[in-house]
Each structure stands twice: as C-alpha cells, then as structure tokens.
Amino acid sequence: MHARDRELLAALSKVNSKIGSVTVELLTLQPDDAAYAAGLRTLGRQLVHVGVALTRRASELDGTELDPSALLNAPDTETHDRTERSEP
C-alpha cells in the first residue's frame, strides 16, 4: 500500500471516528438554526472532501474517469458507478 493511500484511509478514519460525537452535538444544536446549519455544513464538507479523494484515487488505480460532482446527483451511487465503468 502506498503512503498516499495510508494517508487517505487515515483521513477517512478520522472523519468516521468523529461522526458519532458530531451527530450527538448536532442533535443538541437543532433549536439554534444557525449553529445547526454550520455543523451540518462542516460535516458535509468533510464527508465530500474524503469522498472526492477516495473517488479520485480509485480513478487513478483503475483508469475509470468519474467526475466527483456527478456523484452529488446520483440517487444510487453503486448503479451510477456501474454505468460510469461501462462507458468508453
């Protein structure tokens, strides 16, 4: 495994390890719309960042081109990934 892959998986692990506590924190912030929105935005950005990094690395490994922004509109990621792989 490349050092870069270890760093990528460590970043994923870091986000994953915080999801539980962030979720509890968000539950307590719900009455405060501004703080709740900021918390959701922060978590969303972290998840998107690691998701884009994983997607880009997968593309490097198997040569499959996938625009990470296309994932945002895909209702079913696995179906979308299969479709992307079958295109020339």
Side-chain angles (χ1 to χ4, degrees), residues 37-69:
L40 288 175
R41 189 171 292 108
T42 298
L43 179 59
R45 285 181 178 153
Q46 290 172 347
L47 291 169
V48 167
H49 177 75
V50 76
V52 167
L54 290 166
T55 302
R56 284 186 176 147
R57 180 60 178 140
S59 294
E60 290 173 10
L61 292 170
D62 66 10
T64 301
E65 292 295 323
L66 177 63
D67 178 8
S69 66

Side-chain angles (χ1 to χ4, degrees), residues 15-36:
V15 171
N16 185 51
S17 70
K18 293 180 179 182
I19 286 181
S21 62
V22 169
T23 301
V24 171
E25 183 180 342
L26 287 171
L27 287 168
T28 65
L29 290 174
Q30 279 185 330
D32 181 348
D33 287 346
Y36 184 64

Side-chain angles (χ1 to χ4, degrees), residues 56-85:
R56 284 186 176 147
R57 180 60 178 140
S59 294
E60 290 173 10
L61 292 170
D62 66 10
T64 301
E65 292 295 323
L66 177 63
D67 178 8
S69 66
L71 297 173
L72 298 176
N73 297 320
D76 180 344
T77 305
E78 287 187 26
T79 301
H80 184 76
D81 286 348
R82 282 193 300 272
T83 302
E84 288 293 327
R85 274 189 233 122

